[in-house]
Amino acid sequence: MGTAEPHVASSAATQLTDGFQLVIDALKLNGIDILFALPGIPITDLTRRAQAEGLRVLSFRHEQNAGYAASIAGFLTQKPGICLTVSAPGFLNGMNALAHATTNCFPMILISGSSEREIVDLQQGDYEELDQLAIAKPLAKAAYRVLHAEDIGIGIARAIRAACSGRPGGVYLDLPAKLFAQAIDAEAGKRTLIKVVDPAPKQIPAPEAVKRALDLLRSAKKPLIILGKGAAYAQADAEIKNLIEKTGIPYLPMSMAKGLLPDTHEQCASAARSFVLPAADVVMLIGARLNWLLSHGKGKTWGGKSAKDWGGQRFIQIDISPQEADSNVRIDAPVVGDIGSCVSAMLASLGGWQKPPADWLNAISEKKKANVAKMAETLAKNPTPMNFHSALAVVRDLIKANPDAILVNEGANALDFTRSIVDMYKPRKRIDVGTWGIMGVGMGYCVAAAVVTKQPVIAVEGDSAFGFSGMEVETLCRYNLPVCIVVMNNNGVYKGTDQDPTGRDPAPTVFVKGARYDKIIEAFGGVGVNATTPAELRKAMEEALRSKKPTLINAVIDETAGTESGRITSLNPSAAKKK
Ligand code: ADP
Ligand code: TZD
Ligand code: MG
């Protein structure tokens, strides 16, 4: 227990432990070895003592970034990412990430210190007083408070189980300041700790559900599989590849499922997305929800005549949540279970499988060829100033040459162009804005990805997107992480060309023209490079990957090159009206 006194089995010399120690012991017992934290009352000593006990304590400049780091560590490892904050304001800064984890189905635990219960409940104005548990509840998958040191083991066990089991999510754990100092007998304390057995139990699908799904899939003339980030999270990579290759069915990866099979796989239909969605007759979703990112499974994207019209597809949905089916359109064959078990069960029952009809596969392959040729032409251009395409052609080559690198991506145009241009080759290598299309995940994701995967990280960031977490470049430099940030600098949100019609101020979407983001990282000893051509960008990225030094490249992009809202212009009421 880290105290100098050896344990003596006499009542006079009972060895004590305290709340701080029990939290650390409970986390360690459950294999948690990293805390994403920002210290202060009442958790400063928790961070110090955790570090002294061998946990990695990564200290951030803002809790939101620590929280995003924890959330993506959860996605990448299937272990809950732990974010540790102080009370009220620190807690609230972490809430955005907690809600993000719940929304994206990532296992994460936000642990916040809190003020004295009696004072909070009587609203007597304690230091950083806030009823944190009540605020966290609607945004978390589960939320718990521990009042007694003897209950710390249970509190942490429940938080881990809630975060990881079933559909993963964000869990809040409220630890009042007084708890940390509570002293109890060390031996008794040890007996209260729980090593969680099987935190994410397999969920085996019902055989009749598997049969129903396979019967429907077999009847299809134009089948399509959609892989979502749930499929990437599940780490059933070999089974998924097997199912896709044995059935011969074309597939579309959602953004964070890119690379689950290489994007260059002949069955990958990404380059023919707008052709396959309306044309498919049976669609099997694996760990993907029919939310806005898939136009809710209906409307013109799916061949419907109007926005709410059904396109005629029949759906199979593999998902761990029994409530997901029928959320947007009818699901003819729901398969409820974990993806590894479901896909294995399907593989076991495939029998002699007939590949999909050749006319369907040929039609897709022709669309792909035409679109890839068109894109190659655009990518080959070398305009001055550089545009998104010419810059991303460089990123595309570098990811191809370094397929183990993690690609972090946020922005609007900087996001949409990267997703469509940069191929991924391995599972869980692309991490981005996720279900909410949120800005601000960038630097937190970079820290977590570098630390938990020990691979180099390349971040493609819109200049606006970067600003949300930019101060964490100090964190990257402090821990000397192999992260290369490319800021796609087009002088603003979407474009740098807007004007204030009254002539008084800069337009709301426009930033300082010609800003030098590369200078920011130099303040902390990192490498800053200003790149105005693809050749300069390539040289700087290659050098960053070689040296493994934290690097920020200011990629100067034509300020007229972007479009309003990137690819989701249709969701923007003003842009939709203009059309
Ligand atoms: P995308 O944004 O890539 O389309 P979503 O986040 O919408 O993906 O969907 C992920 C889905 O995966 C969620 O419905 C979630 O319940 C499901 N899921 C997550 N992990 C597993 C798992 N291990 N087994 C089965 N389904 C899972
Ligand atoms: N705030 C948060 C937290 N998330 C958001 N998605 C937004 C605001 C709105 N928003 C977008 O949806 S994209 C974007 C904002 C502010 C920035 C786009 O500018 P960028 O990218 O410089 O990052 P491009 O390449 O200029 O389009
Ligand atoms: Mg921009």
Side-chain angles (χ1 to χ4, degrees):
M1 295 281 146
T3 53
E5 293 274 310
H7 180 75
V8 182
S10 84
S11 55
T14 308
Q15 203 177 351
L16 295 178
T17 188
D18 64 7
F20 284 117
Q21 191 63 44
L22 287 165
V23 171
I24 294 164
D25 291 345
L27 292 172
K28 279 176 80 169
L29 185 63
N30 284 289
I32 289 180
D33 47 11
I34 303 177
L35 304 179
F36 301 93
L38 203 158
I41 295 173
I43 56 135
T44 316
D45 265 358
L46 187 59
T47 59
R48 288 198 187 105
R49 286 171 62 173
Q51 188 171 55
E53 296 255 347
L55 272 95
R56 191 113 198 246
V57 182
L58 297 164
S59 194
F60 286 72
R61 306 300 296 259
H62 190 292
E63 290 88 352
Q64 179 168 298
N65 306 317
Y68 286 142
S71 76
I72 207 68
F75 169 78
L76 291 168
T77 64
Q78 296 184 329
K79 270 203 286 189
I82 311 286
C83 174
L84 187 60
T85 79
V86 301
S87 13
F91 158 81
L92 287 173
N93 285 344
M95 275 314 293
N96 214 329
L98 187 73
H100 170 77
T102 305
T103 300
N104 284 273
C105 318
F106 299 160
M108 165 186 172
I109 303 174
L110 173 68
I111 302 181
S112 296
S114 61
S115 317
E116 214 168 304
R117 269 327 311 155
E118 294 83 344
I119 301 184
V120 175
D121 289 345
L122 276 170
Q123 298 177 30
Q124 294 174 307
D126 203 359
Y127 168 69
E128 297 192 345
E129 172 184 304
L130 189 72
D131 190 357
Q132 296 169 194
L133 187 66
I135 289 166
K137 264 184 189 161
L139 298 173
K141 185 180 169 194
Y144 307 102
R145 174 186 295 132
V146 181
L147 290 176
H148 303 290
E150 304 88 295
D151 293 330
I152 287 172
I154 301 263
I156 288 189
R158 299 212 73 189
I160 291 172
R161 228 176 242 297
C164 299
S165 62
R167 172 183 279 177
V171 176
Y172 175 59
L173 190 63
D174 192 84
L175 303 183
K178 266 190 177 171
L179 175 79
F180 294 114
Q182 279 177 28
I184 62 169
D185 175 74
E187 275 304 316
K190 201 171 174 184
R191 283 195 297 274
T192 65
L193 300 182
I194 295 175
K195 180 164 169 44
V196 178
V197 175
D198 200 8
K202 275 191 184 171
Q203 296 192 21
I204 312 291
E208 57 273 23
V210 173
K211 182 175 184 305
R212 193 191 296 123
L214 280 176
D215 288 348
L216 179 53
L217 199 58
R218 202 176 285 116
S219 74
K221 301 271 177 299
K222 298 173 173 184
L224 177 69
I225 291 174
I226 297 181
L227 301 173
K229 61 177 159 332
Y233 173 77
Q235 298 195 16
D237 309 336
E239 292 90 334
I240 290 170
K241 177 168 185 285
N242 231 336
L243 183 71
I244 286 181
E245 290 182 345
K246 288 220 166 111
T247 58
I249 296 174
Y251 72 94
L252 271 184
M254 298 300 287
S255 193
M256 281 174 59
K258 276 169 68 78
L260 203 44
L261 285 82
D263 284 341
T264 48
H265 195 285
E266 63 161 346
Q267 285 168 255
C268 179
S270 291
R273 189 180 196 272
S274 57
F275 169 72
V276 290
L277 288 179
D281 61 353
V282 174
V283 177
M284 179 157 78
L285 301 153
I286 308 184
R289 288 170 287 187
L290 281 175
N291 56 17
W292 69 280
L293 286 157
L294 282 168
S295 309
H296 305 283
K298 57 196 163 196
K300 294 190 174 160
T301 308
W302 293 86
K305 290 195 176 62
S306 63
K308 297 251 166 186
D309 191 32
W310 176 48
Q313 290 81 4
R314 307 192 65 198
F315 287 97
I316 300 163
Q317 185 160 33
I318 302 183
D319 204 289
I320 202 152
S321 165
Q323 289 163 285
E324 185 54 37
D326 304 328
S327 54
N328 284 276
V329 296
R330 182 178 67 231
I331 301 296
D332 298 278
V335 183
V336 176
D338 71 278
I339 286 167
S341 301
C342 293
V343 172
S344 300
M346 290 187 116
L347 276 168
S349 306
L350 274 188
W353 191 268
Q354 293 258 314
K355 298 254 149 127
D359 53 351
W360 173 233
L361 301 182
N362 293 340
I364 297 173
S365 131
E366 260 159 50
K367 285 281 168 205
K368 266 176 72 174
K369 243 184 262 162
N371 288 339
V372 167
K374 221 190 296 168
M375 179 60 95
E377 213 175 283
T378 315
L379 290 178
K381 288 183 188 148
N382 189 4
T384 313
M386 193 155 57
N387 62 11
F388 286 100
H389 291 88
S390 59
L392 287 168
V394 173
V395 178
R396 173 185 160 117
D397 290 349
L398 274 137
I399 291 282
K400 189 174 183 185
N402 300 274
D404 284 315
I406 305 269
L407 179 66
V408 173
N409 191 200
E410 60 177 339
N413 293 280
L415 176 88
D416 293 335
F417 285 123
T418 305
R419 188 178 51 238
S420 59
I421 293 170
V422 178
D423 289 327
M424 305 307 296
Y425 298 87
K426 294 192 173 185
R428 293 170 297 285
K429 295 297 186 187
R430 186 188 152 85
I431 49 182
D432 65 25
V433 298
T435 302
W436 267 345
I438 206 167
M439 299 298 114
V441 294
M443 298 304 104
Y445 274 21
C446 285
V447 173
V451 170
V452 305
T453 71
K454 304 194 166 53
Q455 297 294 337
V457 177
I458 295 171
V460 177
E461 299 271 313
D463 52 334
S464 165
F466 172 72
F468 286 74
S469 67
M471 194 64 210
E472 303 293 346
V473 294
E474 188 277 330
T475 312
L476 298 173
C477 292
R478 184 166 15 108
Y479 295 108
N480 193 24
L481 298 173
V483 174
C484 174
I485 305 156
V486 181
V487 174
M488 302 293 246
N489 188 357
N490 63 347
N491 294 342
V493 176
Y494 314 136
K495 272 172 180 283
T497 49
D498 277 3
Q499 305 264 349
D500 172 358
T502 72
R504 183 174 53 191
D505 282 325
T509 52
V510 166
F511 299 148
V512 168
K513 302 258 180 186
R516 291 287 301 275
Y517 290 94
D518 50 310
K519 301 270 188 201
I520 296 177
I521 201 166
E522 290 176 356
F524 308 107
V527 178
V529 182
N530 190 48
T532 59
T533 64
E536 286 170 7
L537 177 60
R538 186 181 303 269
K539 181 162 170 277
M541 287 186 77
E542 281 172 352
E543 178 54 23
L545 284 160
R546 196 198 56 73
S547 73
K548 300 192 166 63
K549 285 191 193 145
T551 300
L552 195 160
I553 303 165
N554 183 57
V556 181
I557 302 292
D558 181 355
E559 65 171 9
T560 68
T563 57
E564 175 103 2
S565 307
R567 290 279 171 84
I568 51 172
T569 310
S570 61
L571 298 180
N572 179 344
S574 53
K577 211 166 60 197
K578 273 185 221 152
K579 268 211 245 167

